[in-house]
Amino acid sequence: MNTIRVRKKIYPYLYQTPSISLLIILMVIPMATVINYSFFDNVIMKKSPNFVGLSNYKEILTDNTFWISFYNTIYFTAASIFFHLIIGLAFALLLNYKSLNIIAKSILRVIYIVPWLFTATIVAIIWRLVLDPSGVINYILLSFEMIDERIEWLSSRDTALNTVTFINIWAGYPFYMVSLLAGLQGIPNELYEAAKIDGANLGQQFINITIPQLKPIIYTLILLDFIWTIQVFPLIWMTTGGGPIHSTEMLSTYTYKLAFSKYEFSLASTSAFLTFLLSLTVSIFYIKRQVNRTND
Amino acid sequence: MIKEDIKIRLLVYIGLLVGLIFTLFPVFWIFISSVKTNTEVFAYPPSFIPENFTLSAYFNIFNDEDKLRFFFNSYFIAIIVTILTLLISILSGYSFSRFDFKLKRILNLSIISTQTIPPITLLIPYFGIVVTFKIFDTYLALILTYLVFTIPYATLMMTSYFNTLPKELDDAVLMDGGSNFTALCRVIIPISLPGIVATCVYTFLLCWNEFLFALTLTKSYEMRTVPIGIQLLMGQHAYEWNEMMAMSIIGTIPILFLYLFAQKYFLAGLTSGSVKF
């Protein structure tokens, strides 16, 4: 009897053993390592690095480029989230329009998702071709006389940050669209009918029914999008590489260059850990939400 | 009232059209460029319909062993990671769904928090570890490190799927003298196929799209995956734009296929908000 009870206590942990051991090896140890690295000089390159306390933090936090990257990352993330939400919601509402033919609806739904199917590298390549100074976008804009001369979208300091942000908006809205569409379909029709009887117009219905009903989804989407967008790397790396003159430098490209172009692994660890802390500020809300949800 | 309806309908159609152009124009352009000659890709003014339609860019890729190797690597790594992730996350998810135990809350919490760690934070220690254990530039390095992102969400997905299945299913097996493990293998797994398929698709796509670790933890041409291969093509002195476009299209086909195949499972996973894409 006793052995059965002991066994019952051990069983759940047996099932968890593979995942726990992997997460310790792949997450706990590396996180401890990166924090440890940030307190030493020249790790990885030198056999016996010296403990230097907080001096790496001092160096990173007084580095102008770090703050430029920080600002760019926040700008890129905030603008992406804002437009993802607007465009995603707009497309979801269009596709949810009740008089739309059902076949047209399902075809359009697949088409609107297409940007999402491309990996970041391919998204970068597509837009590099289209936005080339002698490429098709400049040609179209010139033909319609919307611009006076060819614009160097990705290689001019004035336009580069907004251009990469635009590309990210293009690539990311389908995630919002799909989720919001699912949310819209879950809103009971009776709510709208009751509102109509009360004489509410479309705008009032949107503000008083649609938005409040979608609120939980929107909240989760924004949290997730923030966590992912703050990590942006391949898109920037493949379009501008952080240039020209740091105008599209993000925390991830800044960290990557410290490590793999300058071989300053300690400074890179410090910057990587600071990026983690930034992400953590928002992640906490996401984690709380998920924990509550799984415990329901 | 009828006039109002027509106005709305017109607005919807205009909106849909603008959306189509916004979404599809760049995609149309890569397709058009992939069937042009490289000289025509560079021509100004650009041609909207290729003058000399050619599939040579596609044939060049299929005849180039180096480029096919990128595809082999991507498929190989994604398939191995998917199998491992599935085995581990089914066990872990089953335990979360069916047992009550002391450390449940804390384990669940740490699995959820793993999802929020930026890859760049883990990159430098991984590089150090991979070099120390002499697995730099091997499949093993990529397979191992990808698991840190695939296992947490796969576990969450499997847990929430198992939670939808009644516990009486397990009880029936236990009454017959079977163990929980028999119940899992004989009853739960066979009826969880939709959840398993969704988990497989997500894992595969995550691996297929991964860039940062593939860039940093491999070095030789033979070890590169599709995203890095495309980047290498781009870095070469002469830009073979038509080939790059063709490769992008070939590289997107498995994703398109998986998406269409698993669309309905996708939505369920997405709305549960536990999925990283």
Side-chain angles (χ1 to χ4, degrees), chain A residues 8-9 11-16 18-20 22-23 25-27 29-31 33-34 37 44 87 91 94-95 97 99-100 108-122 124-130 132-140 142 150 166 169-170 173 175 178-179 182-183 202 217 220 224 227-228 230-231 233-234 237-238 251-253 255-256 259-260 265 268-269 272-273 275-276 279-280 283 286-287 290-291 293-295, chain B residues 4-5 8-9 11-13 15-17 19-20 22-27 29-30 33 41 43-46 48 88 91-92 94-96 99-105 107-129 144-145 147-148 151-152 155-156 179-181 184 208-209 211-212 215-216 227-228 230-231 234 239 241 244-245 247-248 251-252 255-256 259-260 263 266-267 270-277:
Chain A
K8 272 208 160 161
K9 275 199 172 164
Y11 269 154
Y13 296 102
L14 279 180
Y15 287 94
Q16 299 287 5
S19 68
I20 297 172
L22 264 168
L23 288 183
I25 297 170
L26 293 172
M27 186 182 88
I29 296 177
M31 278 308 283
T33 312
V34 78
Y37 278 174
I44 299 182
I87 297 174
F91 284 5
L94 289 175
L95 286 180
Y97 181 58
S99 321
L100 203 62
L108 284 172
R109 202 153 103 180
V110 174
I111 290 178
Y112 280 157
I113 276 163
V114 163
W116 198 24
L117 302 175
F118 294 109
T119 85
T121 343
I122 296 173
I125 287 203
I126 293 175
W127 284 96
R128 273 184 65 163
L129 177 69
V130 175
D132 192 83
S134 53
V136 63
I137 294 283
N138 272 341
Y139 172 74
I140 293 173
L142 279 171
R150 289 178 187 182
F166 174 82
I169 292 165
W170 181 82
Y173 77 83
F175 174 63
V178 171
S179 313
L202 281 179
I217 301 181
T220 308
L224 276 176
I227 295 168
W228 297 338
I230 220 158
Q231 314 170 349
F233 180 81
W237 195 246
M238 296 281 300
L251 287 171
S252 60
T253 55
T255 307
Y256 184 87
F260 298 100
F265 287 101
S269 303
F273 183 61
T275 309
F276 167 74
S279 171
L280 190 68
S283 301
Y286 171 75
I287 293 166
Q290 284 299 100
V291 169
R293 196 177 274 191
T294 44
N295 287 341
Chain B
E4 176 91 7
D5 274 356
I8 291 171
R9 189 176 278 238
L11 277 175
V12 169
Y13 288 148
L16 288 170
L17 188 71
L20 269 183
F22 175 71
T23 305
L24 274 194
F25 182 73
V27 181
W29 204 253
I30 73 163
S33 305
V41 176
Y44 193 89
F48 284 78
I88 295 170
L91 288 177
S92 176
Y94 184 70
S95 162
F96 277 130
F99 297 107
D100 260 320
F101 50 99
K102 241 189 191 165
L103 297 178
K104 186 168 169 170
R105 236 188 115 81
L107 281 181
N108 201 359
L109 179 77
S110 48
I111 282 187
I112 290 170
S113 8
T114 310
Q115 284 188 301
T116 66
I117 298 181
I120 192 83
T121 308
L122 295 173
L123 180 68
I124 293 150
Y126 280 179
F127 182 74
I129 291 166
L144 262 181
T145 50
L147 290 173
V148 77
I151 286 178
T155 301
L156 291 176
S179 67
N180 276 100
F181 191 70
L184 174 65
W208 189 266
N209 292 339
F211 184 82
L212 188 58
L215 176 70
T216 319
I228 312 298
I230 293 176
Q231 193 225 9
M234 194 144 145
Y239 278 10
W241 279 103
M244 270 166 24
M245 296 305 138
M247 189 139 167
S248 302
T252 307
I255 300 186
L256 181 68
Y259 180 78
L260 291 176
Q263 205 178 4
F266 256 70
L267 284 177
L270 274 182
T271 39
S272 77
S274 56
V275 170
K276 191 164 178 165
F277 196 80

Side-chain angles (χ1 to χ4, degrees), chain A residues 40-234:
Chain A
F40 284 85
D41 66 352
N42 230 347
V43 291
I44 299 182
M45 301 305 286
K46 229 163 82 176
K47 275 246 153 70
S48 52
N50 303 311
F51 182 81
V52 293
L54 289 173
S55 81
N56 288 325
Y57 287 87
K58 209 175 145 193
E59 192 166 342
I60 291 288
L61 291 172
T62 52
D63 182 0
N64 204 18
T65 315
F66 172 81
W67 289 106
I68 293 172
S69 319
F70 178 83
Y71 165 77
N72 286 344
T73 308
I74 296 290
Y75 178 86
F76 179 85
T77 307
S80 296
I81 292 175
F82 179 75
F83 286 104
H84 279 159
L85 182 61
I86 302 277
I87 297 174
L89 185 58
F91 284 5
L93 288 169
L94 289 175
L95 286 180
N96 201 42
Y97 181 58
K98 50 185 182 310
S99 321
L100 203 62
N101 176 309
I102 207 121
I103 298 169
K105 220 177 229 183
S106 43
I107 292 174
L108 284 172
R109 202 153 103 180
V110 174
I111 290 178
Y112 280 157
I113 276 163
V114 163
W116 198 24
L117 302 175
F118 294 109
T119 85
T121 343
I122 296 173
V123 169
I125 287 203
I126 293 175
W127 284 96
R128 273 184 65 163
L129 177 69
V130 175
L131 291 173
D132 192 83
S134 53
V136 63
I137 294 283
N138 272 341
Y139 172 74
I140 293 173
L141 292 177
L142 279 171
S143 319
F144 285 99
E145 294 183 350
M146 288 159 86
I147 52 174
D148 305 327
E149 52 183 4
R150 289 178 187 182
I151 294 178
E152 306 249 351
W153 297 101
L154 287 163
S155 46
S156 142
R157 281 183 76 180
D158 304 325
T159 53
L161 183 58
N162 283 323
T163 307
V164 291
T165 310
F166 174 82
I167 298 174
N168 190 55
I169 292 165
W170 181 82
Y173 77 83
F175 174 63
Y176 281 69
M177 186 193 77
V178 171
S179 313
L180 291 171
L181 192 56
L184 283 176
Q185 285 163 350
I187 303 177
N189 220 3
E190 293 84 60
L191 286 179
Y192 291 108
E193 267 151 29
K196 258 185 229 161
I197 293 167
D198 290 344
N201 63 29
L202 281 179
Q204 287 165 331
Q205 287 176 31
F206 178 72
I207 290 169
N208 295 318
I209 301 173
T210 314
I211 293 294
Q213 290 280 320
L214 291 178
K215 230 178 178 176
I217 301 181
I218 291 177
Y219 186 65
T220 308
L221 284 173
I222 289 176
L223 288 177
L224 276 176
D225 201 17
F226 187 95
I227 295 168
W228 297 338
T229 312
I230 220 158
Q231 314 170 349
V232 60
F233 180 81

